[in-house]
Amino acid sequence: MTDVTCGAAEVVDGVLGPQPSHKIYGPPSVPPPDGWPALPPQVEAVSPDTDVVTVGIGGNSLGFGSITLKCIELGISKPLQTKPCTKYYTEGGEGEHWLKEQFAELDRDFGHMMSVLRARAPHATVAVVGYPAIVPDNSGCKFLHWNQLGSVKKGDMPWLDRLEHQLNGLLERQAGHHGAAYVDTYGPSVGHGVCETGDAKWMYGIRDNLTGDGDQTDQPSEACRKIPGTGEACTFVHPNARGLDNQARQVTRALASEG
């Protein structure tokens, strides 16, 4: 197996083209003195001899991180509004226009990426991995709990969930159009979102304690130290060890069915 994945990768800056150093965030969170070196395009690892390709990409290209940051900001700056982020991205203003353009650009770039993968590995089984559930149900979510979604208002969480459905829908459609399998990690992770507790929680919050075996100590970066909360790392809504186990199970199941 050849693993060329990297956090913060985008369809263009990471898969189709090099991932520049300013879009690499570790781990570890603190970069080397001269910064991270740029990474070569991930597609360069794919060749006519490749049997299987799995690709999980799209959230960073869409700007899901910046959208979440905007929801965090509006949750603080608009204290009297119950759904400030939903309003910003759906009521015809700058946010809505920007988001429509982001989806259109992602759709074009993702389709081009799938064509390139097919051209480079014409006989490979290709699986597109979707995104797991973050807030399918906002019960249990608490305002200003940073091991959840911090200052994101509960009223905005249904819109964030719909946004994720829209993103996964784009990935599934592109997978089908290019003869690839789509790996649904959302459905099996419902009931295990960021606002669950204990072993039921498969998703890190904004800032959280790391899970899993081994030494995972990661010294926070300067930017991370500015984020409230007591968690040891700025995990920023990524799957934890249990969530990653679920993703592995779903990918294995999907590839076995392609057989």
Side-chain angles (χ1 to χ4, degrees):
M1 184 182 73
T2 302
D3 181 8
V4 291
T5 58
C6 182
E10 300 175 10
V11 174
V12 174
D13 290 345
V15 177
L16 292 173
Q19 186 169 349
S21 59
H22 71 275
K23 290 187 177 180
I24 299 174
Y25 304 111
S29 296
V30 179
D34 295 330
W36 303 108
L39 294 174
Q42 293 180 24
V43 293
E44 292 182 355
V46 179
S47 72
D49 296 327
T50 301
D51 297 314
V52 176
V53 177
T54 63
V55 56
I57 200 77
N60 292 318
S61 298
L62 179 65
F64 196 86
S66 63
I67 292 168
T68 305
L69 284 173
K70 189 67 175 180
C71 292
I72 289 172
E73 171 197 327
L74 292 173
I76 295 292
S77 62
K78 306 288 185 182
L80 300 182
Q81 293 186 17
T82 58
K83 299 187 289 185
C85 202
T86 305
K87 180 177 181 180
Y88 179 79
Y89 285 109
T90 64
E91 294 194 0
E94 177 183 354
E96 183 176 4
H97 295 311
W98 175 85
L99 188 57
K100 285 181 178 179
E101 291 175 0
Q102 291 295 106
F103 266 109
E105 184 175 357
L106 173 60
D107 202 21
R108 292 191 299 269
D109 291 342
F110 203 97
H112 177 54
M113 177 195 72
M114 294 299 291
S115 297
V116 171
L117 288 175
R118 280 294 179 205
R120 294 183 69 94
H123 307 296
T125 297
V126 180
V128 174
V129 184
Y131 288 89
I134 300 173
V135 280
D137 180 355
N138 64 14
S139 63
C141 294
K142 298 177 181 178
F143 190 65
L144 295 183
H145 279 229
W146 295 93
N147 67 334
Q148 298 180 358
L149 292 180
S151 58
V152 177
K153 295 287 186 72
K154 286 187 70 171
D156 282 322
M157 292 179 190
W159 176 78
L160 279 174
D161 188 54
R162 292 194 298 273
L163 179 71
E164 191 178 6
H165 275 289
Q166 186 178 355
L167 173 58
N168 278 336
L170 184 155
L171 304 186
E172 185 173 13
R173 175 170 50 78
Q174 285 287 355
H177 181 69
H178 292 274
Y182 173 72
V183 182
D184 174 25
T185 68
Y186 183 99
S189 60
V190 170
H192 299 283
V194 71
C195 297
E196 302 295 333
T197 59
D199 290 348
K201 182 177 178 178
W202 293 1
M203 180 69 61
Y204 286 125
I206 303 297
R207 184 164 183 156
D208 223 325
N209 290 327
L210 300 175
T211 63
D213 300 327
D215 180 9
Q216 299 189 48
T217 302
D218 185 14
Q219 294 298 317
S221 66
E222 182 177 351
C224 177
R225 287 194 292 268
K226 296 178 181 178
I227 295 178
T230 58
E232 62 185 308
C234 288
T235 44
F236 210 79
V237 199
H238 284 79
N240 62 20
R242 290 179 288 273
L244 292 175
D245 285 344
N246 172 62
Q247 288 182 307
R249 288 193 301 271
Q250 304 315 319
V251 170
T252 300
R253 182 176 291 116
L255 292 177
S257 67
E258 291 290 308

